[in-house]
Each structure stands twice: as structure tokens, then as C-alpha cells.
Amino acid sequence: IAPDTQAQKIDLLPDIPDIIWPGAAVPAMPGISFGIRSMGTTADIYYPVLIEVTHPPFLNSGTTRQSYVTELGGEEPSINAYSFDTVEEMVTGPWRFRAWHNGALLYDVTFQVVAPELAPGVGDSCGGDFMS
């Protein structure tokens, strides 16, 4: 349950997906996923971690910010990603992912969501998943 997200929930993946198309240009296409894979430098687990995603306004709702609480770190990589599930979400422009723990910024990554023709082959070559 993630009440400060458009979907009101996040999906927890059983395994960390491979990065199929690394980079910062993301086509606005149904089913595309993009985000950050991170790994701690120690086995420490950071909790609570606030993941904040800011983006251009969604078409109907005007939503520009979403967030949820998770954990990062440990001995395995972590992934924080966004998937385009509805047309309303597929807005072009900068999408910024930030992770915060106890007021400290852990990462700050910006993707540029673009019209599909500006990122040719990404949707076809990665089968609808895009991670960086």
C-alpha cells in the first residue's frame, strides 16, 4: 500500500530485473519500466527510505509528485522503478527519482521521458522494460 502514489500501491518484485537498455532517455510507451538499481557499500539495511518521484503533470489528475517508503541496502541490489500502466502517466519531460534516509539524500537521478520516435528501438529491443 502506497497512498502517495497514483496507483495507491507499489509492486514488489521477487527478483531484480536485468538492465536491458541503460540510459536516461525513456520512450513514453505502455509497459515501459525505468528506474534505478542500487547497491549499498556494506550489508547495512536502510529503513525507512523515502522514494520520491517528480514528473510533469499527469494528463487528467495533474499529479506531479509520488512517493513511498521502502528499504534499501543489504547484501543484494535494490530496484526502484516506475512502469507506464496508463496513458495518463505517459507524460514527456524530466522524471526525477530521489531516495532519502534520515534526511540524507542517497541518490538523485533524472530520466528524460520522450516521444517513442525519439528513443527508437528501446520498446522493441527490451520487451517493454527499461531500467538504469
Side-chain angles (χ1 to χ4, degrees):
I1 297 173
D4 196 25
T5 65
Q6 184 76 6
Q8 302 286 298
K9 66 178 181 71
I10 59 170
D11 295 321
L12 300 176
L13 304 174
D15 298 308
I16 302 300
D18 292 332
I19 296 173
I20 297 172
W21 195 275
V26 179
M29 296 174 62
I32 290 288
S33 297
F34 60 103
I36 295 90
R37 183 171 58 182
S38 62
M39 182 88 181
T41 57
T42 68
D44 294 340
I45 294 178
Y46 298 96
Y47 181 85
V49 174
L50 175 70
I51 304 296
E52 178 186 51
V53 181
T54 56
H55 47 75
F58 283 175
L59 301 176
N60 295 323
S61 67
T63 299
T64 60
R65 180 190 177 278
Q66 302 180 68
S67 66
Y68 58 93
V69 174
T70 190
E71 67 181 39
L72 294 178
E75 296 182 359
E76 299 294 323
S78 300
I79 188 119
N80 298 101
Y82 198 90
S83 297
F84 290 139
D85 297 322
T86 68
V87 172
E88 179 184 18
E89 300 169 313
M90 291 181 257
V91 293
T92 59
W95 282 64
R96 185 177 188 187
F97 289 69
R98 291 189 289 181
W100 304 88
H101 175 65
N102 291 337
L105 182 64
L106 300 178
Y107 64 71
D108 185 345
V109 178
T110 299
F111 294 90
Q112 193 67 29
V113 174
V114 298
E117 61 271 13
L118 297 177
V122 174
D124 297 335
S125 65
C126 66
D129 291 322
F130 180 95
M131 302 282 175
S132 177

